[in-house]
Amino acid sequence: MQTEAKTIFIDPALYNIPVSVGDRSATVQDASCALMGTRFPVEGDAVRLFLQWGKGLHAQHLDMDLSARITLPDNEIEECAYYNLTCVGAKHSGDIQSIPEMVGTAEYIELSLPELEAAGAKYVDFSCNAYTTGALSPNMVVGWMNSANPMEVSQKDGVAYDPSCVQHMVRVSEGNLSKGLIFGVLDVAKREIIWLEMPFTAQTLRGADGVSIEALLHKLETKLSIGQLLDMKAKAQNLTLVENADDADEAYTYEWALNPAEVTKLLNV
């Protein structure tokens, strides 16, 4: 397709995001801020996973659970969850079963990359589950932050942390709730976290199929990235790559890629 453009800017982050051809069109997020398969480099030697829920709701029993499953050599599995608070490379904050009035609460898991690497860990799967009868809370937020600053959870005052420490966070939308959700995987060797949206119906992480998780990761890794697709467009249309979006006739940023319809248009160029 002919174009009058001469220059193009491609955000480096787009080389870490696979084209979503063949994936489900729905997202579990109410405001899309990450595409499934996006890879986030780990900052530092520690990661704190967190699950926050119940903000804006009246005090009640509402039990959500945050868990991590660690894949070790020889098919050995370790789980960090409410029923096993400490394991190799991971420490759970403790089981929270009720929310205080209107402010919400949280659980978190501290991960140590040096310990995981020393143990030969391959992957760490992140999951959230609704232990209370029903689906995940519509006011649920999941993500991860660095552990430079403490995170406090109080039965009375709810949860408090420094928002500037958050590296990635999404809110799960009410229209896409399930009993459980695998929302990320840490690739220990690459020190990258891959955003996933893999629902499952079990009440705890033990009901999630590890083989299916690895199969989904492999599928995402073998896909063409948005950045690679844009490289092909640039070559086909003789566009010159520039390093600044403001200097480009066509600028493709991470924010642009959050609109799947716009990405799909590239396939017709």
Side-chain angles (χ1 to χ4, degrees):
M1 186 177 292
Q2 296 297 318
T3 178
E4 296 182 1
K6 302 297 183 184
T7 58
I8 184 172
F9 167 78
I10 304 174
D11 191 325
L14 301 183
Y15 292 93
N16 292 325
I17 306 173
V19 176
S20 59
V21 174
D23 294 333
R24 60 191 179 88
S25 58
T27 172
V28 303
Q29 306 156 52
D30 61 354
S32 184
C33 56
L35 300 172
M36 188 163 71
T38 302
R39 292 175 173 265
F40 298 88
V42 171
E43 301 174 14
D45 287 334
V47 175
R48 179 187 292 134
L49 310 179
F50 69 93
L51 163 64
Q52 180 178 332
W53 73 97
K55 186 175 182 180
L57 301 179
H58 291 295
Q60 59 184 284
H61 176 80
L62 188 60
D63 189 358
M64 302 288 131
D65 292 314
L66 177 69
S67 307
R69 179 167 60 193
I70 302 166
T71 305
L72 296 167
D74 301 322
N75 295 320
E76 182 182 352
I77 298 293
E78 290 272 2
E79 294 176 346
C80 186
Y82 70 91
Y83 48 80
N84 187 43
L85 298 181
T86 303
C87 67
V88 57
K91 184 177 181 181
H92 197 288
S93 61
D95 190 20
I96 302 292
Q97 301 180 13
S98 299
I99 58 172
E101 182 72 11
M102 304 304 288
V103 295
T105 190
E107 291 182 4
Y108 60 93
I109 295 175
E110 304 275 6
L111 297 175
S112 168
L113 268 74
E115 290 183 34
L116 292 168
E117 289 168 341
K122 183 178 181 183
Y123 294 123
V124 182
D125 304 330
F126 312 156
S127 83
C128 50
N129 297 81
Y131 197 87
T132 299
T133 301
L136 295 171
S137 165
N139 290 356
M140 189 183 71
V141 174
V142 295
W144 54 89
M145 61 180 73
N146 64 49
S147 19
N149 293 290
M151 181 173 178
E152 299 177 359
V153 179
S154 163
Q155 291 281 7
K156 178 182 177 181
D157 300 325
V159 58
Y161 56 85
D162 182 356
S164 68
C165 298
V166 174
Q167 295 173 2
H168 186 64
M169 177 174 71
V170 301
R171 187 171 62 193
V172 177
S173 67
E174 187 171 358
N176 290 287
L177 301 177
S178 63
K179 193 68 175 172
L181 178 73
I182 301 292
F183 65 90
V185 175
L186 168 64
D187 186 322
V188 178
K190 294 181 180 179
R191 287 188 165 224
E192 292 179 331
I193 295 174
I194 304 102
W195 172 256
L196 295 184
E197 298 180 5
M198 185 174 177
F200 63 100
T201 57
Q203 197 164 22
T204 70
L205 175 61
R206 290 177 176 174
D209 183 1
V211 174
S212 296
I213 296 171
E214 289 209 28
L216 178 57
L217 285 174
H218 179 69
K219 173 185 173 184
L220 292 170
E221 287 174 355
T222 56
K223 279 193 168 188
L224 182 75
S225 75
I226 296 175
Q228 290 170 322
L229 184 60
L230 287 167
D231 277 341
M232 284 190 255
K233 168 184 166 63
K235 184 176 180 180
Q237 297 181 330
N238 293 316
L239 301 177
T240 302
L241 286 170
V242 296
E243 296 183 356
N244 193 318
D246 294 333
D247 298 332
D249 296 326
E250 294 184 6
Y252 296 93
T253 63
Y254 182 81
E255 290 71 26
W256 163 84
L258 293 177
N259 185 341
E262 289 297 317
V263 178
T264 302
K265 287 181 182 178
L266 288 177
L267 301 175
N268 299 319
V269 173

